[in-house]
């Protein structure tokens, strides 16, 4: 698996085969796939979106936006993205995104309550920070110097 700057084609590919899990997440957040697509597109145009690909196949898009105290993530993926090897890849890649965002804490949210969701965030290095607007807020603390 590798990451690279996302393109419009990557975004279209991911949404063409968007996983039901992601569609359910958007609905639970009070959005739909079109709103999620538009939000990711804005970040893509601003150069803050990466395509996560295996071979020639784009499996996911991760985008981020810095605020004063953290960088918030946006995410879309196809079904075959959700497996152990991609979680291990994300553990390394999210630290790269964090460095690009000036080592701010990374905030990610999940509106779904599945047991694997929290487990995957913990494996990557996130700490659960409670509820925010109906979502579980997960925070990746800044990387330690050294």
């Amino acid at each position: 698996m590798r990451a690279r700057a996302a393109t419009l084609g990557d975004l279209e590919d991911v949404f063409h085969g968007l996983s039901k899990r992601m569609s359910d997440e958007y609905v639970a957040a009070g959005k739909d796939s079109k709103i999620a697509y538009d939000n990711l597109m804005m970040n893509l145009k601003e150069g803050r979106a990466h395509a996560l690909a295996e071979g020639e196949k784009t499996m996911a898009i991760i985008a981020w936006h810095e605020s004063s105290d953290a960088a918030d993530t946006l995410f879309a993926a196809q079904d075959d993205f959700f497996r152990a090897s991609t979680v291990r890849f994300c553990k390394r890649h999210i630290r790269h995104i964090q460095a690009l965002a000036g080592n701010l804490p990374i905030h990610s949210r999940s509106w779904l309550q599945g047991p694997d969701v929290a487990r995957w965030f913990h494996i990557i290095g996130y700490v659960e920070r409670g509820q925010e607007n109906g979502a579980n807020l997960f925070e990746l603390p800044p990387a330690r110097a050294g």
Side-chain angles (χ1 to χ4, degrees):
M1 176 150 279
R2 64 187 170 86
R4 58 175 166 68
T7 66
L8 175 58
D10 294 322
L11 188 58
E12 290 174 354
D13 286 349
V14 169
F15 273 82
H16 181 71
L18 189 66
S19 77
K20 181 177 179 344
R21 166 189 305 225
M22 294 304 310
S23 296
D24 291 348
E25 180 88 22
Y26 301 148
V27 168
K31 300 178 178 168
D32 62 21
S33 295
K34 172 74 172 114
I35 292 170
Y37 180 97
D38 291 345
N39 289 339
L40 284 161
M41 175 65 81
M42 286 188 48
N43 284 277
L44 187 149
K45 287 180 177 178
E46 294 171 356
R48 292 189 313 264
H50 287 168
L52 306 180
E54 193 163 69
E56 296 302 311
K57 182 177 186 214
T58 302
M59 299 170 66
I61 302 281
I62 185 166
W64 65 97
H65 187 85
E66 298 95 352
S67 63
S68 60
D69 62 343
D72 293 295
T73 62
L74 301 167
F75 188 71
Q78 297 180 339
D79 276 325
D80 52 357
F81 178 82
F82 297 100
R83 58 182 201 266
S85 63
T86 57
V87 172
R88 287 190 300 272
F89 175 81
C90 287
K91 184 175 183 172
R92 292 185 309 274
H93 188 67
I94 196 72
R95 287 295 183 184
H96 175 69
I97 290 171
Q98 190 171 50
L100 293 172
N103 200 31
L104 288 171
I106 300 288
H107 285 173
S108 298
R109 291 158 186 81
S110 178
W111 282 261
L112 299 179
Q113 302 298 322
D116 57 339
V117 174
R119 185 171 53 90
W120 287 346
F121 276 112
H122 291 285
I123 289 169
I124 292 170
Y126 282 85
V127 176
E128 201 161 349
R129 295 289 188 214
Q131 295 277 310
E132 180 182 272
N133 299 324
N136 290 324
L137 174 64
F138 295 91
E139 180 179 275
L140 183 67
R144 286 184 240 142

